[in-house]
Amino acid sequence: MAEQQAAGGRAAQLERSGLRPGWTTGACATAATTAAYTALLTGAFPDPVAVTLPGGRQPSFALAAEELTPDQAMAGVVKDAGDDPDVTHGALVRATVRLGPPGSGVVFRAGPGVGTVTKPGLPLPVGEPAVNPVPRQLIRDAVAAVAARHGGGGDVTVVLSVDHGEEIARSTWNPRLGILGGLSILGTTGVVVPYSCSAWIDSIRRGIDVARAAGHAHVAGCTGATSEKVAVAEYGLPEDALLDMGDFAGAVLKYLRRHPVPRLTIAGGFAKLSKLAAGHLDLHSGRSQVDKGFLAELARAGGGDEALVGAVARANTALEAVRLCAAAGVPLGDLVARTARQQALGVLRGSPVAVDVICIDRAGSVVGRAAPAGPR
């Protein structure tokens, strides 16, 4: 039993699922950039090339393409999504690195197959390549490390591309979000958590069993690594009190209804938790969507005028809706958190579990919360 109690948290839950994790496009782009910049400075490509991810993992990637000229170097890595049915599995992610003027730092450009942001509401300004903030930082860190090892200045232009990326992107939400021309370079941990309904729901149940066996009175169901960090920072919860809920809010709530823990914190991205607030228990983008009309009605209930209600209904993303409401003094984040808490308590059906909710943005900042409330 002691061994079982020790095996908790996100990493152990992934291990229990029996699924093989993969690597994000951001991790692949970081590896490709590392190899290309190393070759530009030394004349030789490291193969395989190792990178350090935010959680401390240090995977190595084999190069699938390389090209060196006096002015630039290109390296390519094939994305392995593990056991996740990711549309980008097998895609060739390339990084072409050119030296930049002193003091320019790392400049990102979108090559073929990588999209450009054309609408507000995303974590990047309009006109920028669709390379999300965490992969940008990973690549900056990798460039700095290569420069320190080989005497470079660290001032480079990194052109990221994905073979057939524009075609693959038609199977994603990118066109609807205003990311045109290809895919996004994504990832907050560098690791693709594999998706399987039965395996992941079973791992959630085992996670709750472990937390109960350890005597924990407070667990947190988190949609991802960023929200998990927020829950730990807020409450100091131990690893075996953390449930990697992912998209399966219903699985957490239904199992806790039969096997209660005194307190549950639900922490997640605002968009996903707005789906829970609207009554969806499966938060996966393939099976539930953000309802801008629902958010608009919440904004109205929160005191928003008709102009704001209309703007929220037309918002490009849920994050844009939050920003519009914040500027107007309407606490949309809190309203979503409270409504999500109400939905959660309804699923718990009077089970002795108090629920609080934390909504975050992509950067991990809290944009809404609902205090603990118990059975109705």
Side-chain angles (χ1 to χ4, degrees), residues 34 109 128:
T34 300
R109 296 282 183 262
E128 278 291 307

Side-chain angles (χ1 to χ4, degrees), residues 167-195:
E167 178 184 345
I168 297 169
R170 297 192 190 110
S171 300
T172 75
W173 285 93
N174 276 16
R176 184 175 297 186
L177 295 174
I179 298 172
L180 303 182
L183 294 163
S184 302
I185 303 299
L186 300 172
T188 55
T189 65
V191 181
V192 174
V193 176
Y195 167 77

Side-chain angles (χ1 to χ4, degrees), residues 78-95:
V78 173
K79 177 175 173 178
D80 177 4
D83 288 332
D84 191 72
D86 190 318
V87 295
T88 60
H89 177 71
L92 180 58
V93 180
R94 300 176 187 259

Side-chain angles (χ1 to χ4, degrees), residues 38-353:
T38 301
L40 192 58
L41 294 180
T42 68
F45 289 89
D47 189 7
V49 56
V51 298
T52 300
L53 301 179
R57 292 192 189 213
Q58 293 183 307
S60 293
F61 297 81
L63 297 187
E66 56 184 61
E67 183 179 290
L68 180 62
T69 71
D71 300 319
Q72 65 182 38
M74 182 280 294
V77 170
V78 173
K79 177 175 173 178
D80 177 4
D83 288 332
D84 191 72
D86 190 318
V87 295
T88 60
H89 177 71
L92 180 58
V93 180
R94 300 176 187 259
T96 300
V97 179
R98 305 172 186 134
L99 297 181
S104 61
V106 179
V107 177
F108 293 92
R109 296 282 183 262
V114 169
T116 298
V117 177
T118 67
K119 292 183 180 180
L122 296 166
L124 298 166
V126 170
E128 278 291 307
V131 183
N132 270 22
V134 171
R136 286 179 182 239
Q137 190 57 51
L138 283 175
I139 290 170
R140 290 189 190 101
D141 291 345
V143 166
V146 171
R149 275 198 303 271
H150 301 296
D155 300 304
V156 295
T157 295
V158 178
V159 182
L160 298 176
S161 59
V162 180
D163 287 18
H164 311 293
E166 187 166 8
E167 178 184 345
I168 297 169
R170 297 192 190 110
S171 300
T172 75
W173 285 93
N174 276 16
R176 184 175 297 186
L177 295 174
I179 298 172
L180 303 182
L183 294 163
S184 302
I185 303 299
L186 300 172
T188 55
T189 65
V191 181
V192 174
V193 176
Y195 167 77
S196 163
C197 286
S198 58
W200 206 248
I201 288 172
D202 182 67
S203 72
I204 286 171
R205 293 169 177 167
R206 301 294 75 78
I208 292 172
D209 291 342
V210 167
R212 283 167 50 89
H216 295 309
H218 185 182
V219 297
C222 306
T223 59
T226 303
S227 54
E228 184 176 281
K229 289 177 183 176
V230 171
V232 170
E234 291 273 335
Y235 301 117
L237 294 173
E239 186 180 39
D240 55 354
L242 302 172
L243 309 172
D244 193 358
M245 178 176 74
D247 295 314
F248 302 112
V252 170
L253 293 166
K254 291 173 185 177
Y255 199 71
L256 282 174
R257 184 170 69 208
R258 301 189 302 274
H259 308 276
V261 172
R263 182 172 172 186
L264 166 67
T265 294
I266 298 174
F270 174 81
K272 284 190 181 290
L273 294 192
S274 77
K275 298 180 188 181
L276 176 59
H280 298 287
L281 299 182
D282 186 334
L283 311 182
H284 191 274
S285 61
R287 292 176 298 282
S288 61
Q289 315 305 326
V290 173
D291 186 342
K292 254 73 78 66
F294 169 74
L295 293 179
E297 289 305 313
L298 281 183
R300 177 182 278 118
D305 60 20
E306 289 307 308
L308 177 64
V309 170
V312 170
R314 296 187 300 272
N316 184 40
T317 64
L319 181 58
E320 184 184 3
V322 171
R323 290 171 176 167
L324 290 168
C325 288
V330 174
L332 183 60
D334 292 342
L335 293 167
V336 163
R338 292 172 198 156
T339 309
R341 180 187 62 191
Q342 179 180 342
Q343 293 285 0
L345 290 172
V347 177
L348 286 166
R349 297 181 189 172
S351 186
V353 181

Side-chain angles (χ1 to χ4, degrees), residues 1-22:
M1 179 63 73
E3 181 179 350
Q4 181 192 23
Q5 290 183 20
R10 181 181 178 86
Q13 190 174 334
L14 176 57
E15 183 179 343
R16 283 194 299 273
S17 75
L19 300 173
R20 185 173 65 88

